[in-house]
Amino acid sequence: MFARGIGIAAGVVADSVFGDPRRGHPVALFGSGAAAFERRTYSDDVRAGLVHSAALLTSLGVVTALLERVGRRRGAASEAALVAGAMFIAAGGTTLCRTGEQMVRLLQEGDVDGARRLLPSLCGRDPSVLDAPGLTRAALESIAENTSDAQIGPLVWAAVGGAPGALVYRAANTLDSMIGNRSPRYVRFGWAAARFDDLVNLAPARLTGMAVVVCAPLVGGSPRQAWQAWRRDADKHPSPNAGVAEASFAGALGVRLGGPTQYAHELEIRPTLGNGRDPEVDDLARAVRLSRAVQILAAAVAVSVACRTGRRASVLW
């Protein structure tokens, strides 16, 4: 009855203990397979990108759904184990926060070169052009956005879609990071991957914003300012989802995010999110603590929703 909820809880605990595997991570293996498939499917065309993304995501979804059906027939323990494994694979919140804490230590020690080497583990910006304040802002924005992408998204989709939901979500997020950017090569081929990632993140991003509002006092922040920054500034962001997470974090922490943002393929001038001061290293540390609190709250809600869904399904069955 509660197999999905138990599986989600077990997967979250496993992620909190072990974090992401350093070698042989299934997400990295999926990325390698997608890159190999791209060599056969690539064309500078929207339709080619749609076929590429649909083939990969549909195949993964079908295979996982079949495995979940087999697990369900074998009993609740097997189903819970499959959901736990999928959640562990899809979740990245623990590694996100550990990397954020490492960035805080490097910046506190004045090791700007070390912080530049670490930044690609958080985001795709060009670290060579960033000084300590720029690295702080980039890391904080990444912590905010990836709280939604790396942890809340998998929790939401595991709660409503079980193992297939969690794994297809993570695969969509991976495809977006690979081909969803606006570089000359992927502006058309990656269009479908980027739009699908936007779609599956609509609910997780807004649930992240709500959780930030609730958890803001735990880091000395203001729920009211988090809410106001979300409502006032989120729509200014080029992403319909990242803006929600970043604006609510900015308001909760009393800082200002946005501004010139250098990627490998282009310079973007991002809008201002929040109306506070420029973020400092202590604010980055607070952002990591806020991310952890949001993740814990979201996990509790996801487990509750999954158990209630399972109870209704068992009654209908």
Side-chain angles (χ1 to χ4, degrees):
M1 181 185 301
F2 303 111
R4 183 178 294 180
I6 292 170
I8 292 172
V12 169
V13 170
D15 177 65
S16 68
V17 173
F18 300 108
D20 290 340
R22 294 187 177 183
R23 296 182 180 179
H25 196 301
V27 173
L29 296 177
F30 173 82
S32 298
F37 189 51
E38 181 186 329
R39 290 193 285 271
R40 295 179 175 272
T41 60
Y42 179 80
S43 177
D44 189 16
D45 181 74
V46 170
R47 287 176 294 181
L50 176 61
V51 170
H52 173 83
S53 298
L56 288 168
L57 297 177
T58 301
S59 298
L60 177 62
V62 168
V63 170
T64 311
L66 290 174
L67 289 174
E68 188 174 59
R69 178 175 296 182
V70 171
R72 190 175 295 119
R73 288 176 177 174
R74 291 183 174 180
S78 295
E79 182 183 357
L82 180 63
V83 174
M87 188 65 216
F88 175 65
I89 290 170
T94 296
T95 296
L96 172 69
C97 289
R98 288 175 181 174
T99 305
E101 290 169 342
Q102 187 178 354
M103 179 67 78
V104 169
R105 288 194 295 271
L106 290 170
L107 291 171
Q108 287 175 336
E109 295 166 359
D111 188 356
V112 174
D113 289 337
R116 285 172 177 156
R117 288 192 294 270
L118 181 63
L119 188 67
S121 299
L122 286 171
C123 60
R125 301 182 192 183
D126 181 0
S128 66
V129 302
L130 297 177
D131 56 9
L135 290 164
T136 300
R137 194 201 102 198
L140 201 159
E141 290 173 351
S142 181
I143 292 293
E145 178 180 359
N146 285 298
T147 297
S148 177
D149 289 355
Q151 193 75 0
I152 311 306
L155 284 167
V156 168
W157 286 104
V160 301
L167 292 182
V168 171
Y169 170 83
R170 175 51 63 205
N173 196 249
T174 302
L175 277 180
D176 178 60
S177 68
M178 294 176 66
I179 66 174
N181 58 69
R182 297 180 182 179
S183 66
R185 175 177 173 84
Y186 293 125
V187 67
R188 282 178 285 274
F189 184 75
W191 180 88
R195 298 292 77 75
F196 185 72
D197 184 70
D198 287 343
L199 179 64
V200 297
N201 274 297
L202 286 173
R206 282 141 189 86
L207 292 171
T208 299
M210 293 178 188
V212 169
V213 171
V214 172
C215 295
L218 298 177
V219 295
S222 167
R224 181 177 60 83
Q225 291 181 13
W227 173 258
Q228 289 176 342
W230 171 8
R231 304 308 301 168
R232 182 186 64 238
D233 298 334
D235 288 344
K236 301 175 185 177
H237 198 284
S239 166
N241 301 313
V244 175
E246 292 182 24
S248 59
F249 263 74
L253 299 171
V255 300
R256 180 176 60 250
L257 302 177
T261 304
Q262 180 67 58
Y263 291 94
H265 58 279
E266 66 177 340
L267 172 66
E268 293 185 11
I269 306 300
R270 293 285 179 87
T272 299
L273 307 176
N275 57 7
R277 52 185 167 72
D278 290 335
E280 300 175 354
V281 178
D282 287 345
D283 298 311
L284 177 58
R286 292 169 63 216
V288 174
R289 296 198 301 271
L290 179 57
S291 176
R292 288 190 187 280
V294 167
Q295 292 177 37
I296 292 169
L297 175 60
V301 173
V303 170
S304 176
V305 169
C307 288
R308 291 172 184 275
T309 303
R311 184 184 295 114
R312 287 196 299 267
S314 66
V315 170
L316 291 173
W317 179 260

